Amino acid sequence: MPRREKIGKVVSSKMDKTVVVLVTDRIKHPKYGKVTVVSQKFMAHDEANDTPEGALVRIREDRPRSRRKRWMMVEILERPVDLAAV
């Protein structure tokens, strides 16, 4: 079975080798057609431990690494812009 992948934004990177990723999906109601935004937080393993908060990342389903951590960060798609350096 292929492993699921999701794209989301890092909301917390304060833990050691762990990031919290917020994934938002737009779901259309099957009968009424109203589009709602559903968001979910995933804890993902970050081996390099260098992902900043606000980065857009891709996570992949992985083996259980702890009680709540079942995802692994695959790549950083977009780093946040540092306005202080501009």
Side-chain angles (χ1 to χ4, degrees):
M1 176 167 28
R3 300 190 181 224
R4 294 181 293 171
E5 288 193 347
K6 296 183 181 288
I7 295 175
K9 188 175 240 179
V10 175
V11 293
S12 173
S13 61
K14 295 180 176 99
M15 294 172 275
D16 187 31
K17 295 192 177 183
T18 303
V19 291
V20 179
V21 180
L22 181 71
V23 176
T24 58
D25 290 326
R26 295 167 58 91
I27 307 260
K28 187 175 180 181
H29 191 279
K31 182 176 180 182
Y32 300 112
K34 180 176 179 173
V35 177
T36 57
V37 177
V38 177
S39 59
Q40 204 172 4
K41 287 183 184 178
F42 296 96
M43 293 179 78
H45 182 71
D46 178 20
E47 187 62 40
N49 209 17
D50 66 345
T51 307
E53 290 184 18
L56 191 68
V57 296
R58 179 187 319 264
I59 58 175
R60 179 180 297 143
E61 196 173 24
D62 196 26
R63 65 179 177 87
R65 294 186 182 264
S66 68
R67 183 170 66 111
R68 295 180 58 203
K69 195 162 47 166
R70 269 92 170 112
W71 295 81
M72 181 170 137
M73 198 204 52
V74 178
E75 66 176 321
I76 300 173
L77 300 173
E78 183 180 311
R79 290 191 175 269
V81 177
D82 187 15
L83 296 176
V86 174

